Amino acid sequence: TASTTVTVNANPSAAPSFSVNPICSGGSTTLSANATAGSGTISSYAWSSTLGNVASGSVSTAGTYTVTVTNSNGCTVAATSPS
């Protein structure tokens, strides 16, 4: 009888947070992904804003921000935080 081994990789997790809410005119807030890799390591962060591939960064526009976290196994999670 033949057999095979299947590996199930854990998804990353993310719980975005912000440092100041609401943002006042001329102000900013720091968004943080608060992510864990699950399995492997975190390979990328993709924010719905101009933050790019960073775990946290500053924004000065109010709105809803989404971060997608990908781990080294290709597993992803998306999470949203209002600012």
Side-chain angles (χ1 to χ4, degrees):
T1 302
S3 65
T4 188
T5 301
V6 175
T7 301
V8 177
N9 294 307
N11 286 330
S13 65
S17 65
F18 43 85
S19 60
V20 176
N21 188 27
I23 300 171
C24 295
S25 178
S28 65
T29 189
T30 300
L31 296 175
S32 179
N34 297 318
T36 58
S39 60
T41 58
I42 293 175
S43 58
S44 70
Y45 299 89
W47 289 91
S48 60
S49 66
T50 58
L51 288 178
N53 186 19
V54 295
S56 65
S58 181
V59 295
S60 58
T61 304
T64 300
Y65 293 89
T66 300
V67 61
T68 301
V69 179
T70 304
N71 69 18
S72 57
N73 293 310
C75 302
T76 62
V77 65
T80 301
S81 178
S83 69

